[in-house]
Each structure stands twice: as structure tokens, then as C-alpha cells.
């Protein structure tokens, strides 16, 4: 029995993956499928003078070539601003923008023919950085801004006409000017943060099959409902006729959220009226989207005791050539720069700016790493300036549990001093690795999961087996296993009885999407509610048919206990329905009105983390080593420990990449390291040898069993924690990422 | 990310390989493919014909000859060299270099000959082999010639090898003193590397000659003549001050490219750090004849 339980506790998706059976988009073949290869712009910002695809078209095996004028009549699409053509028509705005898709019988023919598509460009003035885009004479990257209110996120963008600013968010509390006038000390810092590639193992891959008035898309999409909606609007198709199927996805990190290459591939299929597959390389995906770079000014005013009395920040975000979800990234960056602190006077402004570079997009904890990098580095600077220990300075200013960081956001639902204590304790309890005090600390509190909209279906079969149907995608994080576990626990059945269906919008009910650490809480609640609905229907049958009081009935493994006996599901269905068949279908829906409106307030929960880093610097070369790191997060309740720890560790190591290695570099708009050879991410040998993951469980989250979402928070403290260790131990302050050996060496030279 | 179409041949002798080349005129020799196939997939290199040399026997031999030369077949993978007993015994620094080239995939299939012929400036082996005074045996239709590694790499991604010449063997004298190698890298390839080879006299007390090469800074490994001259005739105890005295001038004479791996002053500084660390290691090694 325990053997079966143990097998059942292994995530089914992991078994499929290690046996090579797991199917990703590129493992699929659709009858009649053709292959598309994308011709990309080599120009930073240019007018397309002409496209000659005749030679490519005449190649053996080439079926057709899609270009902008074929689909210009469909107009633009977007999820916040409608600023994006299906494929460049008259103009390209960044290097890598699709200008043609060669469609052929094989991928080889398509790629060979792609070299023969002749595009003539005429360069336009460019704006490749935030500063260039905001300059007075800056060329406009988009002439008009068309806002889509409440389309994907609640609200929309606030663009500035006749400028490259496509969104501005402001939030003011109290009177910063008055507080600063009365302050004992004011300190201001400036930080920058680079563009960073999502670098998922699986690049973007999509198959689209357009048939008359219906469209089926297989995509590694994090938000299938958004893909469905955008394709429906763009091509004028009924939502029910647009089917999005998401097989296993090899990493998303936000790079597959909202909508990416699906409209392009759908258009290719529309053109040839056959299924078309486009499977990008990693290098192409590096030209598809990336994290928004940032330029951040932050100022803090403190009183004589070291209490923060005012905080102001201005964040400029480099949104690239198309807005995608950059406006939300900007808004979140402003929210997330507040940190877990109580500050009576706050003035925040965040702007997202178009530049002639790869479009910015959501990326693990949107806006968080940019904001927390600045905030937590700044906190140590302020502490040093007023002669306080940085941990004490934080403790003095932390919001306590139940206290509000800002009046319009949910009260803090955790105890940050506990997380700080736990990471410090982790270092103390470690067998003394060294005497070094080369340590830096950083903390973060972010506002995820702001869309409490989800549905689930849980079907209980006559033999006690259970089918769970949700729109959450399985992107490696274990969401499907989590949903299965929630259904099993709610129905008191073994995990092995549950099957979670692959994501398919024609089967699975609506959900907002997989991201923002929301699935365990929001989708989990809808699964729990669907399971309870199924249970209710069973209990109803038993109470009715056996004429027993409902309150005596209990779900047990394999059936229902009446108190005196256990009725199997078989017996229940058979006697109730008269035949030995049937199932009950439980439906669960979560909306902002659910739980008496308890889910309506934003954020649903605070995603929090603390990180403590120990570093050793080779002062001759500037290289930073991180021998030890502790990461703590308040996750409410752990549902699957291995998966939860894996999420936390993965996020922290991704944060290590941001801290030390990663930057998607542009030189005057030209990407210069957008290949997996030239772009460096951390390897297993870069992981700190001593790495402690602490998951605090108080069962106080809004999700099933008191769970909160997780998996994004741990990315946040890493870079500032390392930078703070550099500051306190080596006396240097790095203000832009990544902290490369050369930067560290130069700072050490300057210090000497 | 697929190469353009090409023909493929797999000859079993050097003569056939060279002849196969002669037939097409636009072929390329291929073994591990860790650089070449990548470049072909990126379509920065086009070739009509790949001539696979993996079936040619004897190209992956490693031996110490009667003349006290060490011979390494050009088709030896990095892993093979790293694990070879002859290399481990006589040139442990080369063994460890090969054990740390690039990544495990490259080490398993990538070859030392391919590495040299590609002429990538940010590479480990050329610097070391230049310091070891290695000669390369090139075999072509018109005969065989011997080229010093120093003369082999002309510039970035360019060597003196004729397209139809096959690099078959790498030969260098068995070291008679400490051999040291260090690199600095922050990413896939080394930003700077330094190899130093001392020849000691019979009593193992005096450096009779030294070869120092700095790689990855310019288009090919460069000698540090000033340091080499200063070391000649010194006892081990005199090494460090002697190097420090001439190093600034010697470093200034280096050609240094500013690129993604760093600015010139930083890379010169790294060369200094690596060289001094090599010297300390060589001193500590306590060579015995």
C-alpha cells in the first residue's frame, strides 16, 4: 500500500519526462503540416522599401511566402495597447522583427529559401535606449497609441501622445515634500538594470491550423485564454472556434505569457490554408522578447531615529519596440519598489518607454527584480549614511503582520522579521564554513496574483477515478500535479486515482493564465471547489437513495461512509442510476465575488522573500564567488515539498544569473550576444555550495489548505544581497547589473 | 538553425581525404564539429562538402617518441588528451587544460586539431601549444610541411593552412621544466589566458630558456619577449622580481582588442595577474630533472 502511495506521489509529468514520452509542440505532427521559417529584420528602425520573395517562392518545395501586405487588413493586435502588426508591413522597429515567413514542405527547404527573400530597407532615425527615446527630438516609434482597457489586465495603459512613453503610473501617499523638509537625513541613489533574456530551454514553437472559420493552435503558451482571445479578435473568429492546445512546455518565465508568435503562425496557416509549424531556435526566441531594462532613481528621507518618513522613486522602463505587457511591468515595478516597509509618505512614478530593441515582456516577478535591486541596495546605502546596521535599519522600518504598506493594497499577511531571522539563523547553524562576515541581506514583498478568475471541472467516475480539467499549463513547475493533489485530498482519494488533463481550451474551462504565482491559489481553489461540488452530488445521491441524513455521510477512500458501512462509488452509482455506469461532474468557479469578496482585494497574498549571501571576491580579477546563500519565503503551506523547494531554488539561481552574468546587450540597437553561445546563464557549478531553502508555513494563505503562491519571490533578493555584501565588506557599490568581474575590479581600483 | 545542404564523405586514409577534397574544391575537413557545425547552422560558414576524418586510423594517437618529442594526433578529443597517461605524466598542465576546455559536450567530441584550425582567438589550446613550441604537421596534395603554432594562426579565424591541407599531428619537445597555464573566463570562452614553459638546466636550478604566451587578447597568442628574455639564465629564486621589473613594459607591447570580454586595461591587468600566478605555481612546483 505504501509502495503504491510512493509511486503515486511521484509527479506523473516527471515520469513522462524522464522516459522521453512527454510531448512538447515540436514532438507533434498534424496531418498535412507545413513548416515556416521566419525572415527577420537586420535593421534597427527602417522603412521597408520592397520585399521580393519571387526567387524564394520559385524554389522546389516552397509553398508560399507570407509578407505584411497579405495580412495588413487584419490590423494590429496587442494585449494592453494595440500596437503590433501580425508581421512587419511598412516598417521594422527592431532587429529580429519578422518581415516574412517562408512556408515549405520541410524545415530545411523553408530555411534555405528564407535566404533568398530580398528585402530592401531604408533606415529611419532610431531610439535605442531610454535616454534616446525620451530625448526631445526622438523619433516616434509608434505614432498613435490605442489602449485596450481591461483586455488582459484590469485597467490599461496610460500613454503620452506624441511621445515614446506608452505608460505612466503614479501613486502618491501623504506629503513627501513636507516630510523631506522635516527629515533628519535624505539620501538619493540611481541604479540601472539591463535587458535580460528569459532563456527557456524550449524556444517558442507553434503549430496553427486554420480551417475556414475555425482555428486550432498548438502552442507553448502560458496564457491560452489570452491567445484564444487575441486570435479571435484579430481574425474575426468566434471564441468557441478558436482552440488552443498546450502540451508540455519547456520553461516560460513570462516569455510565453500573453501572446507571442501565435498570430504570426496563424496568419501563415491562413495564407496557405494548411497547418503550419514554426519552431524557433533559442537565438530567435532571444529576439522575440526579454525582460525590461530599467533606470531607477530612488530617494529616502529618515528621521533622527532612523525611521523612514518619506520614500520616492522614479522608474523608467525600457519596453522595446512593442508594448506587450510592459505597462503592467512598469506599474508593478513601482509597487514593488516599496518593499515590506511602513512609510507614511510615498511618491512613485513609473514610465514604460518604447525603444528600437527586442520587445519587453513579463518575466518572473514582473518589475520586481528591477525594483528590488534598486530598493534593497539603496536601503544599505541609507543605513550606512546614517550609521545604522542594515538589518536593524530594516527591522525598524518593517511593516508588521496586518499592517498596510499602502492604503490601496491588502495588509501584509506575513512576518518579514521572521524570514530575516530564519536566513540569519541558517548561516549561524551551519558548520562553520569560514570566519568571514562577507555577507549581504535583502528582502522583498511583491503583489502577485491579482486576477482571481478561474474555473475547474472535476469528474468523479464510477470506479473512483478522477479527471481534473483546468487551463493551467504544465511548464515544469508541477501545477498539474498540484491540482491533482488538491482534488485527491478534497475527495479523500489516493493521488493515483487522479488524472489531470492536458491543457486544451476546447475541454478545459476558462482561466486567466499561468503566471504571477497565481495557479496554486486561484486555480487550486477552483479545483477544490469543483471537487467539493462533485462530492456534494455524490452525497446527495446517497442521502436521497439510501434515505440517510447528509451530516452522517463522509467521503472515504473508494466511496462514502454512512457511519455503519462504506458504500463504494460503484454501489452508489449503480443503485442511484439503475445501471452500472455514470459520473458526476463537479464545477468550481473562482471570481472576485467568491469567498464573500475576500479575494477581490489586491494582492491576493504577498509574495515575500529574504536572502542572505556570503561572498568571496578575487580582488585581483574582480570575480565574485558565492559560497553560501540562504533563501526564505512565506508560502503559507507547502503542497509538494520537492516542487516547492525546486521553484524557490530555481528562482534564486535565476536571480544569481541576473546578479552576476546576464545582460542582453545592444550596441546602437544591434543585439550583440543574442545567441546561447555568447549569452551566459549560471551553470550547476555556479550554484552556491551551501544553499539553504527555508519555506515558512503558517497555513494562513488564501489557497487550499492555507497555501500562498510561490516560485517568483526568491529571484528578488539575490542581486542586492550580493551587492550589499560587496558594499559592506569591500567598500564598493555597484549600481548596474550584472556585477561582472570587470565592473567589480574597476570599482575596487577606484576605491583604492 | 539548420545548415545549407552539403555532401558528406568519410574517407579512411589521409590520401583519400585530401583527394576527396581535390574533387570538390569547396570542401571542409570535419571531425568533432563543435565549432564548424555551429557556424554552419548559424550560416556564417557555407560548405558544399564535409569530409569526415573520423574513420582515418592513427590520427588519434598520443606518444612520446624516441626523440623525446610528444606527438598528439590532431583528431584527439580534449577528453582523450586530458586522460592520456603520457600527457598526464609529462605535461599535466595540458591534461588539466583539456579537462577544462569549454563544456563536457565539446570535450567529448571536439578535437585539438579542430580547435587549432578554427583559429578562434578566445581558445585555450593554442596559447598553451604555442608556449610548448609545438609544430604542426600539415599534409596536402603537394606534400607535407611543418609549421610552428606561432606561425600557424594568422589572425582571427584565419590560419596558414591551405583548405586542402589536413592537420595530422601536433609535435612538441617533452618539457624540461615547469609548464603552467591559467585562464580567466566569465562566460563560455576565455577572456585572457597565459601559458609559461620553462626549460631548466640539468641541475634543475637555472632556467635556460622560457616561453611565455598570452592568448585571447589579440587575434592570436602573443609572446611576452621581455619576460622571456628576463627569465633566461635565472635561478628560480630570482624569478618573481625579475618578472615584475619587466612586466609593465612587456604588457604594454601586447596587442589587445577591446571586446565583450573587457576593456584593454583590464585585460592587460588580467594577463599580469595570471602570469604572476603561473610564476608562483612554477616556483612552488620545485622542478627536479
Amino acid at each position: 500500500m505504501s509502495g503504491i502511495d510512493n509511486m503515486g506521489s511521484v509527479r506523473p509529468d516527471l515520469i513522462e519526462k524522464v522516459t522521453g514520452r512527454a510531448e512538447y509542440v515540436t514532438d507533434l505532427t498534424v496531418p498535412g503540416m507545413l513548416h515556416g521559417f521566419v525572415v527577420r529584420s537586420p535593421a534597427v528602425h527602417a522603412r521597408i522599401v520592397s520585399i521580393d520573395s519571387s526567387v524564394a517562392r520559385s524554389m522546389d518545395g516552397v509553398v508560399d511566402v507570407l509578407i505584411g501586405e497579405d495580412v495588413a487588413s487584419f490590423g494590429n493586435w496587442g494585449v494592453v495597447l494595440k500596437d503590433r502588426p501580425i508581421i512587419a508591413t511598412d516598417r521594422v522597429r527592431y532587429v529580429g522583427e519578422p518581415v516574412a515567413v517562408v512556408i515549405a514542405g520541410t524545415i530545411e527547404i523553408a530555411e534555405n529559401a528564407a535566404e533568398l527573400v530580398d528585402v530592401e530597407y531604408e533606415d529611419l532615425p532610431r531610439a535605442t535606449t531610454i535616454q534616446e527615446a525620451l530625448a526631445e527630438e526622438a523619433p516616434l516609434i509608434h505614432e498613435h497609441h490605442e489602449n485596450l482597457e481591461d483586455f488582459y489586465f484590469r485597467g490599461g495603459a496610460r500613454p503620452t501622445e506624441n511621445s515614446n512613453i506608452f505608460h505612466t503610473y503614479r501613486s502618491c501617499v501623504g506629503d513627501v515634500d513636507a516630510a523631506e523638509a522635516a527629515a533628519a537625513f535624505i539620501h538619493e541613489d540611481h541604479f540601472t538594470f539591463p535587458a535580460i533574456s528569459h532563456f527557456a530551454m524550449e524556444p517558442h514553437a507553434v503549430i496553427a491550423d486554420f480551417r475556414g472559420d475555425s482555428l486550432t493552435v498548438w502552442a507553448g503558451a502560458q496564457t491560452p485564454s489570452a491567445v484564444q482571445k487575441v486570435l479571435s479578435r484579430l481574425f474575426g473568429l468566434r471564441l468557441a472556434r478558436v482552440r488552443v492546445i498546450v502540451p508540455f512546455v519547456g520553461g516560460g518565465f513570462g516569455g510565453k505569457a500573453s501572446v507571442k508568435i501565435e498570430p504570426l503562425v496563424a496568419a501563415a496557416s491562413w495564407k496557405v490554408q494548411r497547418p503550419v509549424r514554426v519552431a524557433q531556435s533559442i537565438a530567435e526566441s532571444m529576439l522575440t522578447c526579454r525582460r525590461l531594462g530599467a533606470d531607477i532613481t530612488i530617494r529616502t528621507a529618515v528621521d533622527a531615529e532612523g525611521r523612514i518618513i518619506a520614500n520616492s522613486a522614479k522608474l523608467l522602463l525600457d519596453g522595446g519596440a512593442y508594448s506587450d505587457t510592459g505597462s503592467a511591468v512598469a506599474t508593478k515595478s513601482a509597487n514593488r519598489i516599496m518593499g515590506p516597509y511602513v512609510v507614511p509618505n510615498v511618491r512613485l512614478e513609473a514610465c514604460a518607454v518604447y525603444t528600437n530593441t527586442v520587445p519587453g515582456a513579463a518575466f518572473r516577478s514582473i518589475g520586481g527584480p528591477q525594483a528590488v535591486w534598486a530598493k534593497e541596495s539603496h536601503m544599505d546605502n541609507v543605513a550606512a549614511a546614517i550609521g545604522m546596521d542594515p538589518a536593524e535599519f530594516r527591522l525598524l522600518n518593517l511593516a508588521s503582520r496586518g499592517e498596510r504598506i499602502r492604503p490601496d493594497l491588502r495588509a501584509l499577511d506575513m512576518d518579514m522579521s521572521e524570514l530575516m531571522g530564519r536566513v540569519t539563523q541558517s548561516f549561524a547553524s551551519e558548520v562553520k564554513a569560514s570566519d568571514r562576515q562577507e555577507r549581504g541581506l535583502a528582502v522583498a514583498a511583491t503583489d502577485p496574483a491579482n486576477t482571481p478568475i478561474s474555473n475547474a471541472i472535476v469528474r468523479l467516475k464510477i470506479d473512483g477515478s478522477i479527471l481534473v480539467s483546468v487551463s493551467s499549463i504544465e511548464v515544469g513547475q508541477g501545477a498539474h500535479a498540484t491540482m491533482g493533489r488538491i482534488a485527491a485530498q478534497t475527495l479523500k482519494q489516493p493521488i493515483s486515482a487522479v488524472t489531470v488533463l492536458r491543457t486544451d481550451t476546447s475541454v478545459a474551462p476558462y482561466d486567466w493564465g499561468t503566471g504571477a504565482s497565481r495557479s496554486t491559489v486561484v486555480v487550486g481553489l477552483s479545483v477544490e471547489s469543483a471537487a467539493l461540488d462533485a462530492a456534494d452530488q455524490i452525497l446527495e445521491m446517497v442521502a436521497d437513495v439510501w434515505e440517510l441524513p447528509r451530516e452522517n455521510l463522509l467521503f472515504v477512500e473508494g466511496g462514502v461512509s454512512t457511519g455503519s458501512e462504506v458504500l463504494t462509488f460503484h454501489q452508489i452509482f449503480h443503485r442511484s442510476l439503475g445501471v452500472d455506469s455514470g459520473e458526476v461532474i463537479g464545477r468550481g468557479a473562482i471570481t472576485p465575488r467568491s469567498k464573500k469578496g475576500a479575494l477581490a482585494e489586491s494582492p491576493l497574498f504577498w509574495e515575500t522573500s529574504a536572502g542572505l549571501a556570503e561572498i568571496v571576491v578575487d580582488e585581483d580579477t574582480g570575480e565574485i564567488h558565492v559560497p553560501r546563500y540562504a533563501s526564505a519565503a512565506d508560502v503559507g503551506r507547502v503542497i509538494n515539498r520537492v516542487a516547492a523547494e525546486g521553484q524557490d531554488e530555481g528562482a534564486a539561481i535565476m536571480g544569481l544569473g541576473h546578479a552576476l552574468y546576464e545582460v542582453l546587450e545592444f550596441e546602437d540597437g544591434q543585439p550583440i550576444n543574442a545567441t546561447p553561445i555568447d549569452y551566459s546563464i549560471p551553470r550547476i557549478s555556479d550554484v552556491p555550495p551551501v544553499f539553504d531553502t527555508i519555506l515558512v508555513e503558517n497555513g494562513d494563505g488564501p489557497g487550499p489548505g492555507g497555501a500562498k503562491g510561490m516560485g517568483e519571490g526568491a529571484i528578488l533578493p539575490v542581486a542586492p544581497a550580493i551587492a550589499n555584501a560587496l558594499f559592506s565588506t569591500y567598500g564598493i557599490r555597484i549600481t548596474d547589473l550584472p556585477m561582472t568581474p570587470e565592473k567589480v575590479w574597476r570599482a575596487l581600483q577606484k576605491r583604492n | 538553425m539548420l545548415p545549407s545542404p552539403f555532401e558528406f564523405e568519410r574517407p579512411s586514409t589521409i590520401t583519400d581525404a585530401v583527394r576527396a577534397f581535390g574533387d570538390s574544391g569547396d570542401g571542409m575537413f570535419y571531425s568533432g564539429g563543435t565549432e564548424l557545425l555551429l557556424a554552419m547552422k548559424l550560416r556564417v560558414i557555407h560548405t558544399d562538402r564535409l569530409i569526415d576524418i573520423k574513420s582515418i586510423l592513427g590520427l588519434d594517437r598520443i606518444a612520446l617518441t624516441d626523440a623525446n618529442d610528444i606527438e598528439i594526433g590532431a583528431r584527439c578529443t580534449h577528453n582523450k588528451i586530458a586522460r592520456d597517461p603520457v600527457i598526464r605524466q609529462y605535461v599535466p598542465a595540458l591534461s588539466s587544460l583539456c579537462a577544462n576546455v569549454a563544456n563536457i559536450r565539446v570535450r567529448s567530441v571536439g578535437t585539438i586539431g579542430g580547435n587549432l584550425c578554427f583559429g578562434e582567438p578566445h581558445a585555450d589550446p593554442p596559447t598553451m601549444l604555442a608556449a610548448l613550441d609545438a609544430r604542426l604537421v600539415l599534409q596536402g596534395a603537394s606534400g607535407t610541411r611543418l609549421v610552428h603554432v606561432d606561425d600557424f594562426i594568422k589572425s582571427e579565424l584565419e590560419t596558414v593552412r591551405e583548405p586542402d591541407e589536413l592537420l595530422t599531428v601536433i609535435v612538441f619537445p617533452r618539457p624540461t621544466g615547469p609548464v603552467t597555464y591559467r585562464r580567466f573566463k566569465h562566460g563560455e570562452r576565455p577572456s585572457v589566458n597565459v601559458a609559461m614553459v620553462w626549460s631548466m638546466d640539468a641541475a634543475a636550478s637555472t632556467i635556460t630558456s622560457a616561453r611565455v604566451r598570452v592568448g585571447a587578447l589579440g587575434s592570436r597568442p602573443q609572446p611576452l619577449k621581455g619576460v622571456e628574455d628576463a627569465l633566461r639564465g635565472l635561478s628560480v629564486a630570482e624569478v618573481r622580481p625579475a618578472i615584475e621589473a619587466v612586466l609593465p613594459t612587456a604588457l604594454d607591447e601586447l596587442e589587445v582588442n577591446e571586446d565583450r570580454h573587457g576593456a584593454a586595461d583590464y585585460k592587460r591587468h588580467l594577463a599580469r595577474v595570471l602570469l604572476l600566478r603561473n610564476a608562483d605555481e612554477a616556483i612552488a612546483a620545485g622542478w627536479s630533472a
Side-chain angles (χ1 to χ4, degrees):
Chain A
M1 192 68 214
S2 69
I4 292 166
D5 263 5
N6 284 342
M7 277 307 289
S9 67
V10 175
R11 273 167 53 181
D13 63 305
L14 297 186
I15 294 172
E16 287 190 62
K17 282 168 188 171
V18 298
T19 54
R21 285 167 169 266
E23 284 181 328
Y24 297 81
V25 171
T26 48
D27 295 315
L28 307 176
T29 302
V30 175
M33 183 173 83
L34 299 170
H35 295 265
F37 190 85
V38 181
V39 178
R40 293 174 189 278
S41 164
V44 176
H45 193 194
R47 191 172 72 80
I48 297 174
V49 179
S50 64
I51 302 178
D52 181 358
S53 60
S54 56
V55 182
R57 218 179 281 263
S58 69
M59 248 184 84
D60 240 12
V62 172
V63 175
D64 213 333
V65 177
L66 174 78
I67 59 168
E69 67 183 35
D70 297 328
V71 286
S73 61
F74 289 119
N76 283 353
W77 63 275
V79 292
V80 184
L81 285 157
K82 212 167 158 182
D83 61 0
R84 183 141 205 180
I86 292 172
I87 186 166
T89 42
D90 52 343
R91 172 175 173 188
V92 289
R93 294 178 170 90
Y94 71 96
V95 173
E97 179 161 6
V99 289
V101 182
V102 178
I103 305 157
T106 69
I107 184 66
E108 288 84 0
I109 295 169
E111 186 166 355
N112 290 333
E115 288 193 346
L116 306 172
V117 175
D118 190 18
V119 187
E120 195 188 326
Y121 299 95
E122 184 186 283
D123 277 336
L124 293 168
R126 58 187 65 169
T128 65
T129 62
I130 294 171
Q131 288 70 30
E132 286 173 17
L134 294 178
E136 211 153 295
E137 297 300 312
L140 289 183
I141 296 170
H142 294 269
E143 274 73 26
H144 308 287
H145 306 295
E146 193 183 338
N147 191 16
L148 294 163
E149 199 74 6
D150 295 335
F151 184 89
Y152 180 63
F153 297 114
R154 198 165 162 193
R158 297 289 171 264
T160 306
E161 282 308 316
N162 295 312
S163 87
N164 287 316
I165 299 172
F166 65 85
H167 179 63
T168 300
Y169 169 78
R170 289 191 186 90
S171 173
C172 289
V173 177
D175 187 340
V176 168
D177 292 333
E180 285 187 353
F185 186 82
I186 299 176
H187 185 81
E188 182 174 296
D189 282 312
H190 182 244
F191 296 90
T192 57
F193 188 101
I196 291 178
S197 179
H198 296 83
F199 213 92
M201 292 268 279
E202 183 203 25
H204 300 88
V206 171
I207 302 169
D209 186 6
F210 226 114
R211 294 186 188 201
D213 64 352
S214 69
L215 171 61
T216 303
V217 168
W218 291 260
Q222 287 178 247
T223 49
S225 61
V227 171
Q228 186 185 43
K229 181 171 170 184
V230 164
L231 294 176
S232 153
R233 300 269 175 107
L234 189 55
F235 294 104
L237 305 170
R238 307 293 299 267
L239 274 172
R241 294 265 164 83
V242 181
R243 178 180 181 189
V244 182
I245 300 168
V246 184
F248 281 119
V249 184
F253 314 113
K256 293 170 185 163
S258 69
V259 178
K260 293 294 179 288
I261 66 168
E262 293 86 356
L264 179 67
V265 188
S269 173
W270 171 84
K271 178 92 192 274
V272 296
Q273 289 295 311
R274 280 175 67 177
V276 174
R277 183 187 95 163
V278 172
Q280 295 196 153
S281 62
I282 288 192
E284 288 178 285
S285 280
M286 294 177 86
L287 298 177
T288 300
C289 57
R290 45 88 176 179
R291 197 191 277 281
L292 283 80
D295 189 315
I296 299 169
T297 306
I298 179 167
R299 192 163 73 228
T300 293
V302 294
D303 67 13
E305 280 75 48
R307 275 197 187 78
I308 300 172
I309 53 172
N311 216 194
S312 55
K314 177 153 188 175
L315 305 100
L316 302 172
L317 287 113
D318 172 2
Y322 296 100
S323 60
D324 195 302
T325 48
S327 52
V329 174
T331 297
K332 289 290 187 187
S333 73
N335 290 348
R336 291 168 180 192
I337 206 164
M338 294 186 297
Y341 305 109
V342 189
V343 180
N345 304 288
V346 179
R347 183 163 58 213
L348 306 168
E349 182 181 296
C351 297
V353 179
Y354 284 125
T355 61
N356 290 118
T357 59
V358 173
F363 191 154
R364 205 168 199 161
S365 188
I366 63 169
Q370 297 93 326
V372 177
W373 160 241
K375 174 67 170 199
E376 288 296 290
S377 297
H378 173 68
M379 284 296 284
D380 272 38
N381 280 358
V382 176
I386 60 173
M388 264 184 98
D389 173 81
E392 277 173 36
F393 178 55
R394 283 183 178 80
L395 288 170
L396 180 68
N397 288 289
L398 285 181
S400 21
R401 181 187 285 274
E403 205 165 0
R404 280 181 197 269
I405 290 166
R406 211 174 64 191
D408 59 328
L409 296 172
R410 185 183 295 272
L412 191 63
D413 55 357
M414 53 77 66
D415 187 355
M416 183 54 82
S417 61
E418 182 184 0
L419 295 194
M420 283 175 57
R422 292 290 293 274
V423 291
T424 310
Q425 213 174 31
S426 157
F427 269 40
S429 66
E430 199 58 52
V431 181
K432 204 167 140 193
S434 72
D435 303 328
R436 271 187 295 270
Q437 292 297 312
E438 302 172 1
R439 291 172 182 179
L441 171 83
V443 298
T446 61
D447 54 333
N450 50 357
T451 317
I453 307 168
S454 180
N455 295 278
I457 293 169
V458 171
R459 292 149 67 185
L460 179 66
K461 302 279 188 183
I462 187 165
D463 61 355
S465 60
I466 298 160
L467 274 179
V468 175
S469 184
V470 288
S471 282
S472 290
I473 65 148
E474 183 48 65
V475 65
Q477 85 284 41
H480 282 192
T482 296
M483 299 313 151
R485 199 174 280 233
I486 290 167
Q489 286 173 353
T490 309
L491 291 169
K492 309 276 191 300
Q493 303 306 308
I495 288 165
S496 57
V498 184
T499 302
V500 180
L501 295 175
R502 290 279 158 272
T503 311
D504 178 344
T505 58
S506 69
V507 180
Y510 176 88
D511 172 55
W512 180 82
T514 303
S517 299
R518 65 187 287 285
S519 297
T520 297
V521 171
V522 183
V523 185
L525 283 177
S526 67
V527 169
E528 185 181 63
S529 144
L532 289 172
D533 184 34
D536 217 41
Q537 295 175 48
I538 293 283
L539 296 180
E540 201 56 47
M541 281 198 273
V542 177
D544 194 29
V545 176
W546 274 264
E547 295 180 354
L548 289 166
R550 271 282 298 258
E551 52 274 22
N552 293 352
L553 303 177
L554 269 181
F555 258 68
V556 293
E557 189 172 327
V560 172
S561 161
T562 62
S564 55
E565 61 174 330
V566 171
L567 301 171
T568 66
F569 294 121
H570 252 291
Q571 291 170 311
I572 296 167
F573 277 103
H574 197 167
R575 184 154 158 202
S576 305
L577 305 179
V579 288
D580 185 17
S581 303
E583 69 175 14
V584 292
I585 303 174
R587 174 183 163 270
I590 290 300
T591 76
R593 298 160 187 275
S594 304
K595 310 254 171 199
K596 298 190 175 121
L599 306 176
E601 192 179 21
S602 179
L604 254 177
F605 57 89
W606 285 92
E607 184 160 10
T608 52
S609 57
L612 186 61
E614 179 180 293
I615 64 165
V616 176
V617 174
D618 180 338
E619 292 191 61
D620 284 335
T621 64
E623 198 171 24
I624 299 171
H625 296 276
V626 186
R628 187 143 71 152
Y629 189 82
S631 169
D634 183 329
V635 301
R637 179 175 78 102
V638 171
I639 293 177
N640 179 332
R641 184 156 305 275
V642 174
E645 286 182 353
Q647 281 294 302
D648 195 78
E649 287 160 6
I653 298 309
M654 203 170 220
L656 186 71
H658 287 30
L660 302 182
Y661 306 100
E662 296 185 51
V663 48
L664 189 63
E665 287 177 86
F666 298 93
E667 253 173 37
D668 197 21
Q670 279 290 340
I672 58 167
N673 66 338
T675 75
I677 303 161
D678 296 317
Y679 187 90
S680 299
I681 61 166
R683 299 178 176 186
I684 192 70
S685 52
D686 299 313
V687 173
V690 183
F691 190 108
D692 196 7
T693 299
I694 301 147
L695 302 178
V696 171
E697 297 179 80
N698 291 315
D700 53 354
K708 296 174 185 173
M710 56 99 54
E712 300 190 285
I715 199 172
L716 301 168
V718 187
I722 291 171
N724 288 341
L726 271 178
F727 180 62
S728 65
T729 314
Y730 297 90
I732 57 171
R733 171 58 69 189
I734 305 289
T735 58
D736 60 334
L737 290 179
M739 291 174 273
T740 59
E742 184 173 1
K743 276 184 207 166
V744 172
W745 177 75
R746 285 197 191 284
L748 289 168
Q749 295 300 106
K750 216 170 140 191
R751 178 203 65 183
N752 290 341
Chain B
M1 294 300 274
L2 294 166
S4 18
F6 57 85
E7 289 175 16
F8 184 81
E9 291 208 27
R10 182 174 277 175
S12 55
T13 66
I14 295 171
T15 318
D16 282 350
V18 173
R19 191 181 302 131
F21 192 96
D23 293 346
S24 84
D26 184 26
M28 285 185 148
F29 296 119
Y30 148 78
S31 182
T34 54
E35 299 278 20
L36 181 58
L37 293 188
L38 219 54
M40 287 171 69
K41 287 176 186 171
L42 290 170
R43 298 191 174 224
V44 291
I45 288 183
H46 289 258
T47 186
D48 292 337
R49 176 178 300 204
L50 276 190
I51 302 155
D52 181 351
I53 60 166
K54 286 200 287 289
S55 294
I56 302 174
L57 295 176
L59 282 185
D60 60 350
R61 224 169 58 91
I62 298 175
L64 177 67
T65 68
D66 296 341
N68 246 347
D69 277 340
I70 291 172
E71 289 187 354
I72 300 177
R75 206 176 69 60
C76 288
T77 63
H78 304 293
N79 265 349
K80 182 177 168 91
I81 300 167
R83 293 167 189 166
D84 184 81
V86 171
I87 303 298
R88 284 181 131 168
Q89 183 178 350
Y90 298 107
V91 211
L94 178 61
S95 166
S96 97
L97 177 153
C98 288
N100 289 290
V101 163
N103 55 60
I104 192 166
R105 239 189 89 245
V106 167
R107 292 193 291 272
S108 303
V109 296
T111 65
I112 188 111
N115 185 294
L116 284 168
C117 291
F118 200 68
E120 160 65 57
H122 292 278
D124 297 286
T127 309
M128 176 64 127
L129 292 171
L132 286 166
D133 200 15
R135 290 150 292 157
L136 309 178
V137 180
L138 297 174
Q139 207 164 326
S142 51
T144 299
R145 60 176 176 142
L146 217 55
V147 180
H148 282 268
V149 169
D150 271 334
D151 306 322
F152 183 69
I153 298 172
K154 271 164 77 178
S155 67
E156 195 166 329
L157 306 178
E158 200 187 350
T159 71
V160 301
R161 187 182 67 85
E162 293 299 328
D164 63 348
E165 279 183 311
L166 181 65
L167 167 60
T168 55
V169 186
I170 297 151
V171 192
F172 56 87
R174 179 169 73 86
T176 58
V179 176
T180 49
Y181 173 80
R182 268 183 174 68
R183 66 161 182 218
F184 182 82
K185 70 170 196 168
H186 185 74
E188 183 67 16
R189 301 182 192 277
S191 318
V192 187
N193 55 26
V194 179
M196 181 158 67
V197 177
W198 293 350
S199 298
M200 308 295 288
D201 68 358
S205 59
T206 306
I207 299 169
T208 55
S209 69
R211 290 175 64 87
V212 183
R213 292 294 179 275
V214 181
L217 290 188
S219 50
R220 56 184 194 159
Q222 301 172 71
L224 271 183
K225 286 303 285 178
V227 175
E228 291 179 352
D229 292 344
L231 288 171
R232 195 172 304 117
L234 291 191
S235 74
V236 168
E238 299 166 310
V239 161
R240 193 128 184 162
I243 291 180
E244 280 175 5
V246 299
L247 197 49
T249 318
L251 291 171
D252 278 347
E253 285 165 4
L254 290 173
E255 169 205 344
V256 184
N257 296 334
E258 300 212 297
D259 56 17
R260 290 193 54 251
H261 296 271
D265 61 336
Y266 177 57
K267 291 203 281 192
R268 268 205 186 84
H269 163 79
L270 287 177
R272 174 194 156 81
V273 170
L274 298 180
L275 178 66
L276 290 173
R277 288 180 182 179
N278 280 356
D280 289 344
E281 182 190 333
I283 294 163
W287 182 262
S288 55

